[in-house]
Amino acid sequence: TTFLSSRLSHLRTQLHLILEKSFCSMAVIGAPFSQGQKRKGVEYGPAAIREAGVMKRLSNLGCGLKDFGDLSFTPVPKEDLYNNLIANRRSVGLTNQERSEVVSRAVSGGYSCVTVAGDHSLAIGTISGHARHCPDLIWVNTHADINAPLTTSSGCLHGQPVSFLLRELQDKVPQLPGFSWIKPCISSPSLVYIGLKEMDPPEHFILKNYDIQYFSIRDIDRLGIQKVMEQTFNLLIGKRQRPSHLSFDIDVFDPTLAPATGTPVVGGLSMCITEEIHNTELLSALDLVEVNPQLAASDEEAKATAGLAVDVIASIFGTREGGHNVYDQLPTPSSPHESENEEHVRI
Ligand SMILES: [Mn+2]
């Protein structure tokens, strides 16, 4: 009977894993792209996140995994500045077009799609690729990244991706070469920002003027992350059940936790956000961006930042409280007197 019951328990475990697998299949896409901003090294983010064990952690959750590898990019000859300010527009546009096709293929194939990058300009492609499923968008970031090409002061396209995607803003966005393929696919009621620490004046104007919901780090400190997520899901999912897209910039954490990133700002988000998002079970795509190992002061700092990125990815698709691992029995000591006997021997 002991043999039989252990066989049965083993079978149950196997069956459970098979069922989990059919519910959870994930695509991982690396996007080592850096031309949406000026600092060197963010193209090594995907390699650092892979090295920190992202595939192993996801497979431990019992998910079926498909690795699309790191995408390569069609090189674009040296470009002049648009409006004397914006660099690499053709390169960012073309790269995102290619990226959007890969994400579209993955999502249509039934995969939950994790893109590890790279700078945040890549979100133009991942969200466009996800667009036929009309996702809600949750933008977790120190920055709103919603400057339009005519309001940006840095000229960096990683500070502008949302402006190209938001329907309501299109009469304010000029047609850039390389961007003509983009169809704006997000409307303001389907967008929520979480974790903002800094806004440029035009961004603040856009958020207020277009009724875009946001929770700053200060709001989170005041309300608590649970309340913030409750309100977020009421605003988005409360209305209807549809998939969501999470675009997550590692700079939303305090720089003591995630030092290796391009634009760190003091103040930080709690990890609990990942579990709140996991619990909705509606997430179908995640971008994890702006890990820049070359900006770390030491190897430890680089590893800590990449490790935190892996924690975010794994806890969004699993949970930190045991994940999907099947564990239904605690080991029992073979003899209750064993330790007592050992003590006698020692005496
Ligand atoms: Mn940011």
Side-chain angles (χ1 to χ4, degrees):
T1 30
T2 322
F3 175 74
L4 192 63
S5 75
S6 100
R7 286 300 300 164
L8 275 173
S9 149
H10 180 72
L11 275 175
R12 228 181 5 246
T13 306
Q14 291 293 310
L15 186 66
H16 198 111
L17 282 174
I18 288 163
L19 285 173
E20 284 291 352
K21 267 187 187 147
S22 65
F23 290 131
C24 160
S25 51
M26 299 188 47
V28 178
I29 301 171
F33 185 75
S34 63
Q35 293 188 64
Q37 49 87 65
K38 289 170 186 161
R39 307 189 76 169
K40 286 197 172 67
V42 74
E43 66 272 27
Y44 301 113
I49 292 170
R50 285 179 186 281
E51 217 161 283
V54 71
M55 299 307 283
K56 180 96 181 73
R57 284 282 291 283
L58 287 174
S59 87
N60 284 350
L61 299 175
C63 293
L65 281 185
K66 181 169 169 65
D67 189 349
F68 280 74
D70 286 349
L71 305 184
S72 56
F73 306 113
T74 312
V76 172
K78 199 160 171 46
E79 304 182 56
D80 55 344
L81 298 175
Y82 170 80
N83 212 13
N84 282 325
L85 191 60
I86 296 175
N88 307 322
R89 60 195 188 278
R90 282 195 183 82
S91 174
V92 171
L94 183 62
T95 297
N96 272 302
Q97 186 173 16
E98 293 170 348
R99 211 160 354 192
S100 100
E101 279 153 24
V102 179
V103 172
S104 174
R105 227 184 310 138
V107 177
S108 302
Y111 292 99
S112 297
C113 193
V114 179
T115 304
V116 291
D119 75 61
H120 217 162
S121 67
L122 82 94
I124 298 169
T126 60
I127 294 164
S128 295
H130 197 186
R132 83 172 60 157
H133 301 267
C134 294
D136 289 323
L137 175 59
I138 304 174
W139 196 271
V140 177
N141 197 327
T142 285
H143 310 94
D145 295 339
I146 198 169
N147 267 300
L150 301 176
T151 72
T152 174
S153 53
S154 75
C156 296
L157 281 161
H158 81 153
Q160 306 170 46
V162 185
S163 78
F164 298 102
L165 299 166
L166 196 72
R167 288 195 186 98
E168 289 86 341
L169 215 50
Q170 291 320 298
D171 61 337
K172 302 288 186 278
V173 175
Q175 189 67 255
L176 299 189
F179 282 64
S180 58
W181 61 274
I182 299 172
K183 294 183 191 70
C185 54
I186 301 291
S187 42
S188 55
S190 308
L191 167 61
V192 175
Y193 283 102
I194 296 171
L196 300 181
K197 302 180 213 173
E198 271 187 354
M199 254 188 269
D200 296 339
E203 293 185 304
H204 191 248
F205 176 85
I206 292 169
L207 263 52
K208 288 293 179 198
N209 210 48
Y210 292 87
D211 279 328
I212 297 166
Q213 284 294 325
Y214 67 91
F215 298 97
S216 65
I217 282 287
R218 193 165 144 253
D219 294 328
I220 299 170
D221 281 350
R222 201 163 42 85
L223 296 167
I225 187 70
Q226 200 183 359
K227 193 96 201 143
V228 164
M229 296 316 291
E230 221 175 85
Q231 291 184 18
T232 298
F233 296 132
N234 281 340
L235 288 162
L236 298 175
I237 294 146
K239 287 176 269 178
R240 61 246 170 269
Q241 292 269 316
R242 62 180 196 183
S244 52
H245 187 116
L246 174 63
S247 216
F248 198 108
D249 185 329
I250 200 77
D251 71 17
V252 79
F253 291 116
D254 190 84
T256 51
L257 294 173
T261 189
T263 44
V265 177
V266 172
L269 188 70
S270 142
M271 262 305 269
C272 300
I273 186 174
T274 60
E275 282 165 61
E276 300 284 341
I277 289 171
H278 168 76
N279 290 339
T280 70
E281 294 181 348
L282 287 170
L283 192 71
S284 57
L286 165 67
D287 314 320
L288 198 301
V289 304
E290 301 283 354
V291 172
N292 185 336
Q294 288 194 351
L295 295 179
S298 64
D299 201 34
E300 285 75 45
E301 278 196 9
K303 284 190 172 137
T305 309
L308 187 59
V310 173
D311 283 341
V312 169
I313 296 167
S315 56
I316 279 173
F317 288 98
T319 82
R320 289 189 292 165
E321 296 169 4
H324 287 279
N325 295 332
V326 178
Y327 202 94
D328 54 11
Q329 217 176 330
L330 287 175
T332 316
S334 51
S335 155
H337 302 296
E338 214 165 78
S339 53
E340 206 175 302
N341 287 345
E342 269 172 27
E343 230 141 274
H344 278 297
V345 173
R346 234 175 274 141
I347 289 162

